[in-house]
Amino acid sequence: MLRLHSPFLLFGIAIAMSVDSRAHDADSPKEASESVVSMAFGWPFLDPTTMETQGGTTQGSKVTLAGEPSEAWEKIRQPDLSKQERDRMAVLAMAGSFRVSFQFIESMGFAEDYKPSRPYFSWATEHVRVLADTPTFVSLQHTLVMYFEDEEMGGPMVMKHWRQDWTYEDRELVVYRGHLVWEKMKLAEEEASGGWSQAVFQVDDSPRYEAFGRWEHEAGFSRWTSNDAWRPLPRREFSVRDDYNVLGGTQAITITPTGWVHFQDNCKLQVDSKTNSPRSVACEIGINRYERILEPTIQKPADAYWAKTGDYWKEVRGAWKDIFRTRDRFQLKNQADGKKLYEEHFGYAAEIEATDSYDKENGRTHAQETVNRFLENL
């Protein structure tokens, strides 16, 4: 049984999984079981061995892909929907069970002695649940649910992952400014009209970034395109890169009949701590594909996790809402008392799982005190 010691370790170890293609392509008898080892837009004039994708060889369980358009896709295509309601249906179409692939490759660099970093590829199976749904606000929580093939099937490994909150005509964003500082940014009424913000949160529910964009709907797809936004250094490079500290760029989320695709056009920036001025280091392209799956069934393990820990994580989200409401600008500590923020929250949630009991008042106190302990005084 594979043991994971960090909620971020998964994405550096798994690159191979089996696919049952029968549901995906009824005309093809082929069942694929192969490792993905190449990427488009590579560097053909470099030694190929220096540009092999980062990742490991852990074998995942066989996955059966959905072959028919989803019910969520059909809802987007309903006639006579208002633009706002069609947008909301597109956001809700990101919920469900998916095989996810994460691919990143640097497209250019700006130093005289620039050498591209190795491309990145990893995968996961994820369930996306709806935490909140109103005409002007949708919250989607991602949960990793992983099975691993060894001599015998291992798993499921269940782990809380990132969250995305969508707000219609949002006029107050919490944006990243570098050096673990976030601050409120106001939008004029005309700027916000007809658009949606996407706020992304880390696995511990602390903020990551927020961007604003608009949905467009054509016959074959629905796509949201963002403005330019800064983000902290991604976890996939947190321990291997020290030449940049901010990831800036635009995103496009496209809903397809059987899933969705998250495209990123990023620039790796070194932001000066005194002047806050950025220096470009390199650019990268990222493509994350969410493909609906029929098997394995991963919703049930995800539901079981949230049945036990959901009340605590609700208190954590509430603690952050208090911060957003009372502070126009704040900074997070990288560590407090020798621990990371996610370690504190995940440790408490693990105790709830183990004991199968939850004290609401104690959970609220722990969530609020923990969040506040990681805030710097600005």
Side-chain angles (χ1 to χ4, degrees):
M1 176 64 184
L2 182 67
R3 296 187 64 83
L4 299 177
H5 302 287
S6 162
F8 312 112
L9 184 59
L10 171 69
F11 300 105
I13 60 175
I15 68 168
M17 69 189 309
S18 299
V19 180
D20 185 340
S21 62
R22 289 171 294 180
H24 188 64
D25 184 358
D27 297 326
S28 173
K30 178 183 177 183
E31 291 188 15
S33 179
E34 54 192 28
S35 298
V36 179
V37 295
S38 64
M39 292 190 68
F41 308 113
W43 296 84
F45 306 111
L46 298 178
D47 180 354
T49 61
T50 67
M51 294 303 293
E52 293 178 351
T53 55
Q54 301 180 56
T57 57
T58 301
Q59 189 75 16
S61 64
K62 180 177 291 186
V63 168
T64 302
L65 300 176
E68 299 296 326
S70 67
E71 181 181 351
W73 170 259
E74 300 295 350
K75 287 182 178 180
I76 304 173
R77 314 255 74 76
Q78 292 178 90
D80 303 324
L81 290 179
S82 67
K83 174 62 165 55
Q84 177 184 344
E85 184 65 6
R86 199 176 305 278
D87 293 351
R88 178 175 150 271
M89 289 294 104
V91 174
L92 289 169
M94 285 185 274
S97 297
F98 302 93
R99 178 186 67 177
V100 192
S101 59
F102 307 90
Q103 294 177 278
F104 294 88
I105 188 170
E106 288 191 358
S107 55
M108 65 189 79
F110 305 108
E112 290 186 9
D113 58 349
Y114 170 75
K115 294 181 181 179
S117 64
R118 290 170 58 193
Y120 181 88
F121 173 80
S122 66
W123 68 272
T125 45
E126 231 177 51
H127 182 72
V128 184
R129 64 193 297 110
V130 180
L131 290 181
D133 176 22
T134 74
T136 59
F137 178 77
V138 176
S139 180
L140 302 176
Q141 175 66 59
H142 294 235
T143 307
L144 297 171
V145 183
M146 302 286 292
Y147 292 88
F148 300 95
E149 282 190 357
D150 203 339
E151 294 182 358
E152 59 184 42
M153 189 63 65
M157 184 280 293
V158 182
M159 187 176 293
K160 179 182 180 295
H161 204 200
W162 63 290
R163 186 178 100 246
Q164 48 176 324
D165 286 356
W166 293 80
T167 304
Y168 182 65
E169 295 189 341
D170 192 358
R171 295 184 58 188
E172 186 174 271
L173 279 61
V174 178
V175 298
Y176 187 61
R177 296 304 191 194
H179 304 285
L180 298 182
V181 173
W182 286 260
E183 70 178 15
K184 291 180 182 177
M185 182 181 77
K186 305 284 187 179
L187 292 182
E189 184 176 356
E190 57 271 21
E191 291 180 283
S193 178
W196 291 75
S197 66
Q198 183 209 35
V200 171
F201 300 85
Q202 310 267 27
V203 297
D204 54 23
D205 283 319
S206 62
R208 180 159 176 77
Y209 66 90
E210 188 166 12
F212 193 87
R214 301 178 187 281
W215 285 94
E216 58 176 322
H217 305 279
E218 301 293 343
F221 68 90
S222 294
R223 176 181 295 146
W224 177 83
T225 304
S226 79
N227 64 345
D228 190 87
W230 281 12
R231 287 164 275 169
L233 192 71
R235 290 290 175 180
R236 58 188 160 85
E237 295 199 317
F238 194 81
S239 61
V240 297
R241 296 288 292 268
D242 59 6
D243 58 330
Y244 78 102
N245 53 17
V246 168
L247 195 65
T250 58
Q251 310 169 67
I253 293 175
T254 303
I255 311 299
T256 69
T258 56
W260 50 287
V261 178
H262 181 195
F263 177 85
Q264 301 178 41
D265 185 3
N266 296 326
C267 192
K268 298 177 179 181
L269 308 171
Q270 181 64 38
V271 177
D272 186 89
S273 60
K274 295 181 179 179
T275 65
N276 218 45
S277 57
R279 174 177 58 84
S280 298
V281 173
C283 289
E284 71 170 12
I285 294 170
I287 303 177
N288 303 332
R289 294 181 177 89
Y290 291 74
E291 303 170 280
R292 289 191 182 274
I293 61 174
L294 303 178
E295 296 291 340
T297 303
I298 63 174
Q299 181 175 350
K300 187 175 180 179
D303 287 347
Y305 173 83
W306 284 98
K308 291 184 177 181
T309 67
D311 287 341
Y312 173 67
W313 289 114
K314 183 177 180 180
E315 295 295 347
V316 176
R317 296 194 301 271
W320 278 110
K321 286 180 181 178
D322 289 341
I323 300 301
F324 297 155
R325 185 177 63 254
T326 59
R327 300 197 184 201
D328 291 334
R329 181 180 171 90
F330 60 88
Q331 184 177 30
L332 274 177
K333 298 176 183 177
N334 189 42
Q335 291 187 358
D337 301 324
K339 287 189 176 183
K340 300 283 190 180
L341 180 56
Y342 75 83
E343 292 177 317
E344 294 282 9
H345 287 314
F346 273 77
Y348 192 88
E351 292 178 6
I352 297 171
E353 277 194 282
T355 60
D356 203 21
S357 63
Y358 176 66
D359 184 312
K360 183 175 181 179
E361 292 303 319
N362 186 278
R364 178 176 299 165
T365 299
H366 184 274
Q368 293 175 344
E369 290 182 350
T370 300
V371 169
N372 282 284
R373 190 155 49 87
F374 278 80
L375 290 174
E376 295 279 12
N377 293 319
L378 290 180

